[in-house]
Amino acid sequence: MVVHWTQVLRLLPLILIAALVVFEDRVSNPSCKVVPAGEQLAGEDHPDDLKVMMVSNLLLLGSEAGYWNIFFRDYYLSKFFAKSFEMLKPDMLLVLGDVSAKGSKLTKSKWSSVIHQFHGLLGPFLGLPIHVILGDRDIGDCSGLNAVSVNWIARNFPALDSAGCGAFEISNISFVSLNAVALLCGDNKLRFSVEKLIESESVDLQMESEQNTEMLYKPSKIRSHSADFQWRENTMSSGSGPVLLLHFPLHWTSNNNYWANNAVDGTSHHSHHSSKMPKRRGLVGTGPYELMQTLPPNATEYIFQALRPRIIFSAHTHAFYDHTHPDGTREITVPAMSWDARDDPGFVFATFKGNGSRVTISHCSLAKESRILIAYASILILFVLTVVLANFSGPTTSGC
């Protein structure tokens, strides 16, 4: 039997290219793990369940993106969206802020390029309901917060009002999204607009749940020139309000628990204090606020008193956290989905069962950028070696 090793070596580059195609397809699949929530069981899927994919911190650069982002990072981000849609079949997409890496510093034309890039990445998600909230990188900090620019940015995303807030209902589940950046500011026009929306939603919720409506028709006591939050008495029970969406997490008291989970390597831990936050990768600069920034205690108490949220979804930290507040309300912090933020990006997949009284949370992790680069480097080295050997090796024969 005669074996022509040079012919085999010449076929190896084609085999490596085929392996690379298969690798790119499989490495784009998300790895999802259900996060435990006390004794609550995931249960079977039902056709009436509302399945929502939640992402944050895309940190898009638009027209300022270089070749590395365009042909590598954005390419894989698009594949991540497409594969997640194919595997999980969500009913809605929520983006919890920081769509842009430098949005607060961009002109309108450059912001338009970011929005165009955002739509290009979504692919099949464009056929679903999409809701986007604004983050600090999108609109800046209090010192530069501008109502006109916020209004212009908000108009480019569905269901946002001029202050960057929104309220909508899908599958009989109510959602309220807030401009959390404005809630950090003092005497600011946008903050007062956010407070008005909170008060309006609070009144609507109480009118639906209480028999005594006399109190509900009293004028609102929103202060227009004070740094302190004020609210009316709310007799609704905790957890009976809407699903709350905002970019900054609410304030955590030091004696509350949180659950951090890594769905890639299967590790998880439960702790009493969050002291370890992911380091900035420094690839798109720093944002206006530190990663540990939360809403202040008075704003947090105001939101709990007015809205009684059933569950809260926030972002900003770049990491995944599952936190329980003193009144039993669960807050999920959605990790960054960009390699610009962390080597191991991810997202959250939430399934609202029935009328939304039960929510199953899955933490989904995506491929590490470092692992993909190592795989590419290995394939490139093997490719070069096989080409060299094919050109310089003579045929060998063996007989039997």
Side-chain angles (χ1 to χ4, degrees):
M1 186 178 75
V2 178
V3 178
H4 297 284
W5 290 107
T6 54
Q7 294 179 357
V8 174
L9 287 172
R10 285 170 182 167
L11 286 175
L12 277 178
L14 295 178
I15 296 174
L16 289 174
I17 292 173
L20 179 61
V21 172
V22 174
F23 169 77
E24 286 189 348
D25 182 71
R26 294 192 175 183
V27 80
S28 302
N29 293 333
S31 174
C32 297
K33 227 177 185 183
V34 175
V35 180
E39 299 180 354
Q40 180 175 308
L41 300 177
E44 297 292 332
D45 288 339
H46 190 275
D48 293 335
D49 292 346
L50 177 64
K51 296 179 289 185
V52 183
M53 180 172 167
M54 302 185 185
V55 305
S56 73
N57 301 89
L58 301 180
L59 304 180
L60 304 181
L61 292 167
S63 60
E64 295 189 359
Y67 290 112
W68 179 254
N69 284 86
I70 295 172
F71 296 108
F72 181 67
R73 287 184 170 168
D74 291 349
Y75 167 73
Y76 266 101
L77 186 56
S78 178
K79 289 180 72 69
F80 289 155
F81 271 113
K83 279 293 184 177
S84 299
F85 180 88
E86 178 184 327
M87 289 182 60
L88 301 174
K89 296 178 173 54
D91 301 310
M92 180 170 62
L93 175 68
L94 296 177
V95 184
L96 301 184
D98 285 356
V99 172
S100 171
K102 306 176 181 178
S104 61
K105 303 176 182 177
L106 298 181
T107 62
K108 286 185 178 181
S109 60
K110 289 187 176 181
W111 239 116
S112 297
S113 70
V114 170
I115 295 169
H116 178 76
Q117 181 187 9
F118 174 65
H119 289 159
L121 289 172
L122 294 183
F125 282 92
L126 291 175
L128 298 181
I130 299 173
H131 187 72
V132 181
I133 65 177
L134 305 179
D136 57 314
R137 284 179 179 263
D138 298 320
I139 59 178
D141 59 11
C142 291
S143 63
L145 202 58
N146 184 286
V148 176
S149 62
V150 169
N151 181 29
W152 183 87
I153 295 170
R155 288 205 314 265
N156 289 278
F157 298 113
L160 288 182
D161 63 16
S162 60
C165 300
F168 59 95
E169 184 176 298
I170 183 169
S171 297
N172 294 321
I173 301 172
S174 297
F175 293 81
V176 171
S177 66
L178 302 178
N179 182 344
V181 180
L183 289 174
L184 294 178
C185 306
D187 292 344
N188 183 284
K189 179 181 177 182
L190 283 171
R191 192 194 108 172
F192 302 137
S193 297
V194 176
E195 289 182 29
K196 288 179 181 178
L197 179 131
I198 293 173
E199 286 289 316
S200 175
E201 290 298 318
S202 178
V203 169
D204 290 343
L205 290 168
Q206 291 184 70
M207 289 179 65
E208 293 176 1
S209 63
E210 296 182 357
Q211 297 297 323
N212 184 7
T213 59
E214 291 183 1
M215 179 189 69
L216 304 176
Y217 287 102
K218 291 182 179 180
S220 175
K221 294 183 179 179
I222 299 176
R223 293 184 179 177
S224 58
H225 297 286
S226 171
D228 297 325
F229 292 89
Q230 187 174 12
W231 54 84
R232 66 169 59 85
E233 182 66 25
N234 188 341
T235 58
M236 293 172 58
S237 60
S238 297
S240 59
V243 178
L244 180 62
L245 312 171
L246 69 172
H247 180 67
F248 288 119
L250 299 183
H251 178 74
W252 294 4
T253 55
S254 59
N255 62 343
N256 292 143
N257 298 334
Y258 76 92
W259 179 276
N261 179 278
N262 189 331
V264 173
D265 57 21
T267 61
S268 59
H269 64 274
H270 187 267
S271 177
H272 288 278
H273 180 64
S274 175
S275 59
K276 184 178 180 182
M277 301 294 270
K279 295 181 179 178
R280 296 183 185 274
R281 303 196 77 191
L283 302 175
V284 290
T286 57
Y289 294 96
E290 291 299 318
L291 296 183
M292 295 185 71
Q293 177 69 52
T294 64
L295 288 185
N298 61 338
T300 298
E301 186 180 359
Y302 171 58
I303 288 172
F304 275 120
Q305 176 66 23
L307 296 179
R308 308 290 195 193
R310 67 181 59 190
I311 190 170
I312 302 158
F313 293 95
S314 58
H316 184 69
T317 66
H318 293 180
F320 173 84
Y321 292 101
D322 182 358
H323 172 72
T324 303
H325 288 276
D327 68 345
T329 304
R330 193 179 183 188
E331 178 173 356
I332 304 297
T333 304
V334 179
M337 198 181 174
S338 170
W339 278 333
D340 286 311
R342 55 186 297 146
D343 187 43
D344 54 341
F347 61 90
V348 165
F349 192 77
T351 303
F352 295 85
K353 297 182 176 296
N355 61 355
S357 57
R358 292 189 300 116
V359 185
T360 301
I361 301 296
S362 296
H363 173 211
C364 300
S365 293
L366 301 167
K368 289 186 176 183
E369 183 181 38
S370 57
R371 291 182 180 176
I372 292 180
L373 291 176
I374 291 172
Y376 276 161
S378 302
I379 291 174
L380 179 61
I381 292 171
L382 289 173
F383 182 83
V384 172
L385 287 176
T386 54
V387 170
V388 171
L389 290 174
N391 289 333
F392 290 97
S393 298
T396 61
T397 61
S398 61
C400 61

